[in-house]
């Protein structure tokens, strides 16, 4: 029996001369002899060489792009350029045919839009193989970072009865039939949970409860937002990483965000090089179709290295507003939303101006006006601003949003009143401030935005296996 191996093993781990068998999908078959076989274990395909005489014509006709085959034979040094080894096939078995005339993936370049429509088959392409191997590495690195730094993972709930955070952006969870449209006068007593419930928009409030017991925790799970924004940075279902740390103030929070980013990016640069090089070329090709002045001056790995080597610029909201107010695009009315006064909410065009044009590096903006941020953020002594922070990245805009939390019971109650949040709905949250309250901080890192940054994929729909967006949940 030949040893069953993956393509990655055959190319890197097994020595020439070994009898092996490999299963995978045919990428191409040329000259009736050369099969490019890929099983997704790595970017590269392996060349399997058959002797036409050894396989009758009916079988050879079934070796088509997309078909699934198992080859057995000897791994040998390859005479061909660009590969060290190849398989000399002794036996070949067709595991699954793919009708050549109908199979949608051909050995040529397909547009990302086209591939989104066949999201069930796109894992078989080089680009999506690379993206999802990198996504896996990032996910692994996130857990490794927290584990090595003494954090405990908390599984925050996906179904939640608290809607303090997501007003208007939440998906309802119900078994009631029919679901009535009028939110306010529905009687929920007969429904599954006996009250109104939703899919969570964030695990933060629950993470806070655990931080005030286990000190350093994080969540890493799916979150849901019914926001009707068809952008390249928003999904209705996305994954969020939310650390929450007791006894930590805002400066520590900023440092934690930087350390996390550097660790995971460094990990991928070390362990995902083959895929990164491929994605870098892909991105460079994509950039060529853009006007000169919109092209990024840096290649993908250069951009990643830049983040590893340069501290993020820390800038207060007030300083940022001054910079934006006096900026060229503001004076020439090039911004869609002009910055006129202190208190304005920053749009993605402003965030990107700061990061890409003004500072030329990732930026941490902090101390935002209280009015444009959530009720739980810690009030500063000026009475106007809160200890919020957003991390802004080139090409992405906001990638992290976080804050030091309000730990003082009276101020928190006052804030909830201002935000019209009934105390009864959050009694459990308030009890952490009543009993043994302490300073604490945390943030949310959108995992797909991180994957976008690391892979250089422009559209967020291309970095999650099955994107959920308004009007679209096919696969
Ligand atoms: P944005 O202004 O981009 O909508 P936000 O202020 O609503 O972001 P937060 O509520 O602070 O975002 O969420 C924390 C992080 O989650 C964001 O920094 C971002 O990385 C990510 N995120 C937020 N909304 C989405 C979404 N709809 N799809 C994907 N990621 C998201
Ligand atoms: Mg939002």
């Amino acid at each position: 029996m030949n040893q069953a191996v993956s393509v990655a093993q055959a190319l890197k781990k097994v020595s020439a001369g070994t009898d092996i068998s490999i299963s995978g999908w045919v990428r191409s078959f040329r000259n009736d002899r050369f099969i490019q076989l890929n099983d997704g274990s790595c970017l590269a395909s392996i060349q399997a060489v058959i002797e036409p005489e050894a396989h009758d014509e009916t079988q050879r006709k079934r070796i088509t792009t997309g078909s699934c085959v198992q080859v057995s034979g000897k791994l040998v040094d390859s005479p061909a350029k660009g590969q060290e080894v190849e398989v000399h096939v002794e036996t070949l078995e067709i595991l699954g045919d793919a009708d050549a005339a109908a199979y949608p993936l051909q050995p040529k370049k397909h547009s990302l839009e086209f591939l989104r429509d066949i999201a069930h088959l796109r894992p078989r392409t080089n680009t999506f193989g690379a993206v999802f191997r990198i996504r896996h590495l990032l996910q692994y690195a996130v857990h490794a970072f927290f584990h090595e730094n003494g954090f405990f993972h908390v599984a925050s709930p996906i179904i939640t009865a608290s809607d303090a955070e997501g007003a208007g952006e939440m998906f309802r969870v119900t078994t009631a039939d029919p679901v009535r449209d009028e939110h306010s006068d529905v009687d929920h007593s007969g429904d599954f949970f006996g009250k109104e419930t939703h899919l969570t928009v964030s695990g933060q409030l629950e993470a806070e409860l655990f931080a005030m017991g286990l000190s350093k925790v994080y969540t890493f799970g799916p979150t849901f937002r019914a926001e009707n924004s068809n952008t390249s940075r928003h999904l209705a279902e996305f994954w969020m990483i939310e650390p929450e740390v007791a006894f930590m103030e805002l400066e520590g929070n900023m440092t934690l965000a930087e350390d996390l980013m550097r660790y995971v990016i460094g990990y991928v640069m070390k362990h995902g090089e083959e895929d990164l090089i491929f994605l870098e070329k892909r991105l460079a090709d994509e950039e060529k179709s853009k006007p000169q002045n919109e092209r990024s001056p840096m290649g993908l790995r250069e951009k990643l290295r830049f983040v590893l080597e340069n501290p993020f610029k820390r800038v207060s909201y007030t300083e940022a507003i001054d910079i934006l107010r006096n900026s060229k695009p503001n004076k020439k009315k090039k911004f869609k939303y002009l910055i006129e006064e202190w208190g304005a909410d920053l749009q993605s065009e402003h965030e990107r101006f700061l990061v890409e044009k003004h500072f030329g590096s990732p930026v941490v903006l902090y101390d935002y006006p209280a009015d444009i941020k959530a009720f739980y953020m810690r009030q500063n002594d000026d009475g106007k601003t809160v200890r919020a922070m957003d991390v802004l990245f080139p090409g992405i805009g906001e990638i992290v949003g976080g804050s030091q939390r309000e730990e003082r019971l009276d101020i928190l109650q006052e804030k909830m009143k201002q935000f019209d949040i009934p105390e009864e709905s959050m009694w459990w949250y308030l009890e952490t401030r009543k009993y043994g309250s302490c300073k604490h901080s945390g943030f949310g890192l959108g995992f797909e935005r991180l994957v976008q940054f690391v892979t250089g994929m422009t559209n967020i729909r291309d970095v999650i296996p099955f994107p959920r967006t308004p009007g679209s949940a096919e696969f």
Side-chain angles (χ1 to χ4, degrees), residues 326-472:
N326 297 315
S327 69
K328 245 198 212 160
N330 203 53
K331 288 189 167 150
K332 293 194 164 167
K333 302 204 177 352
K334 287 270 161 61
F335 283 143
K336 190 160 158 232
Y337 299 90
L338 294 178
I339 297 287
E340 267 142 23
E341 54 195 293
W342 193 92
D345 205 352
L346 300 185
Q347 306 295 325
S348 129
E349 57 179 345
H350 309 125
E351 297 174 348
R352 294 188 58 172
F353 173 82
L354 290 169
V355 173
E356 289 160 31
K357 298 273 159 26
H358 190 82
F359 289 106
S361 80
V363 172
V364 189
L365 287 186
Y366 64 91
D367 284 351
Y368 280 76
D371 297 346
I372 58 171
K373 289 290 181 185
F375 73 96
Y376 50 72
M377 298 190 176
R378 192 178 200 276
Q379 188 140 41
N380 280 314
D381 293 341
D382 64 11
K384 296 194 307 187
T385 60
V386 288
R387 298 245 78 191
M389 63 171 222
D390 280 1
V391 180
L392 315 178
F393 260 36
I396 308 271
E398 179 185 333
I399 192 162
V400 165
S403 68
Q404 185 170 333
R405 318 305 188 188
E406 185 56 75
E407 84 284 11
R408 298 161 295 187
L409 181 64
D410 51 334
I411 298 179
L412 187 59
Q413 285 169 319
E414 187 49 42
K415 277 299 268 294
M416 287 172 63
K417 225 178 263 150
Q418 282 170 23
F419 279 72
D420 269 332
I421 301 168
E423 283 193 23
E424 311 83 78
S425 68
M426 306 252 336
W427 64 272
W428 43 272
Y429 187 70
L430 288 166
E431 286 211 342
T432 55
R433 273 58 171 177
K434 222 181 266 171
Y435 307 126
S437 190
C438 69
K439 286 189 174 169
H440 61 285
S441 304
F443 60 80
L445 163 61
F447 186 55
E448 282 74 20
R449 291 200 190 164
L450 174 67
V451 182
Q452 269 190 284
F453 181 72
V454 174
T455 58
M457 298 300 283
T458 318
N459 196 312
I460 198 164
R461 293 169 174 82
D462 297 329
V463 299
I464 188 160
F466 302 102
R468 266 78 185 110
T469 51
S472 160

Side-chain angles (χ1 to χ4, degrees), residues 2 12 34 60 68 87 95 135 152 156-157 173 231 256-257 285 298 314 337 342 351 367-368 371 375 422 435 443:
N2 291 7
K12 299 206 181 85
F34 303 107
R60 292 203 311 272
C68 186
V87 191
L95 302 178
R135 183 181 163 113
F152 301 107
S156 49
V173 175
T231 77
L256 178 65
D285 279 348
M298 287 190 214
R314 298 183 182 185
Y337 299 90
W342 193 92
E351 297 174 348
D367 284 351
Y368 280 76
D371 297 346
F375 73 96
Y435 307 126
F443 60 80

Side-chain angles (χ1 to χ4, degrees), residues 74-308:
K74 207 175 272 308
L75 190 70
V76 298
D77 292 323
S78 173
K81 259 216 307 242
Q83 60 193 22
E84 283 178 12
V85 288
E86 60 187 30
V87 191
H88 279 184
V89 177
E90 280 144 27
T91 60
L92 181 144
E93 192 186 338
I94 307 274
L95 302 178
D97 291 285
D99 177 0
Y103 186 60
L105 288 172
Q106 292 305 317
K108 62 160 199 175
K109 208 172 146 116
H110 293 291
S111 76
L112 296 173
E113 289 78 11
F114 170 76
L115 293 172
R116 247 170 255 151
D117 290 336
I118 51 163
H120 58 302
L121 294 174
R122 66 181 186 171
R124 298 187 190 183
T125 63
N126 280 338
T127 299
F128 288 93
V131 166
F132 290 114
R133 280 185 299 269
I134 298 276
R135 183 181 163 113
H136 163 81
L137 285 179
L138 280 168
Q139 181 145 3
Y140 184 78
V142 166
H143 287 296
F145 171 84
F146 285 121
H147 179 73
E148 286 170 20
N149 286 285
F151 283 71
F152 301 107
H153 177 260
V154 172
S156 49
I158 288 169
I159 299 173
T160 170
S162 106
D163 68 352
E165 269 224 89
E169 286 191 350
M170 300 185 93
F171 289 101
R172 249 177 286 163
V173 175
T174 179
T175 53
D177 188 33
V179 180
R180 276 140 299 192
D181 277 329
E182 253 334 300
H183 219 59
S184 43
D185 33 50
V186 182
D187 174 14
H188 294 279
S189 57
D191 205 343
F192 192 89
F193 296 107
K195 50 161 61 176
E196 190 172 358
T197 49
H198 299 95
L199 294 178
T200 187
V201 295
S202 152
Q204 177 205 317
L205 302 180
E206 292 85 356
E208 281 189 56
L209 313 182
F210 269 74
M212 292 166 87
L214 298 180
S215 291
K216 290 162 83 171
V217 299
Y218 70 107
T219 72
F220 190 171
T223 49
F224 307 86
R225 295 190 186 176
E227 50 193 346
N228 225 334
S229 41
N230 250 315
T231 77
S232 58
R233 306 175 306 125
H234 288 91
L235 291 164
E237 175 180 300
F238 65 100
W239 287 64
M240 193 145 55
I241 299 150
E242 296 180 278
E244 194 68 37
V245 185
F247 321 118
M248 189 174 77
E249 300 189 24
L250 194 69
E251 288 72 22
N253 207 22
M254 295 180 192
T255 306
L256 178 65
E258 281 196 40
D259 289 348
L260 169 64
M261 301 287 220
R262 287 216 185 86
Y263 182 97
V264 300
I265 290 173
Y267 188 89
V268 171
M269 290 193 77
K270 186 159 170 219
H271 299 278
E273 198 179 20
E274 186 187 31
D275 286 321
L276 281 182
I277 292 172
F278 173 83
L279 291 167
E280 178 169 282
K281 286 199 195 111
R282 193 210 67 83
L283 183 62
D285 279 348
E286 186 182 283
E287 292 269 309
K288 277 186 208 142
S289 65
K290 288 190 191 162
Q292 196 92 37
N293 63 343
E294 283 173 30
R295 290 183 201 166
S296 161
M298 287 190 214
L300 182 60
R301 280 175 304 159
E302 198 183 346
K303 219 170 57 178
L304 299 180
R305 227 171 281 128
F306 185 88
V307 171
L308 289 188

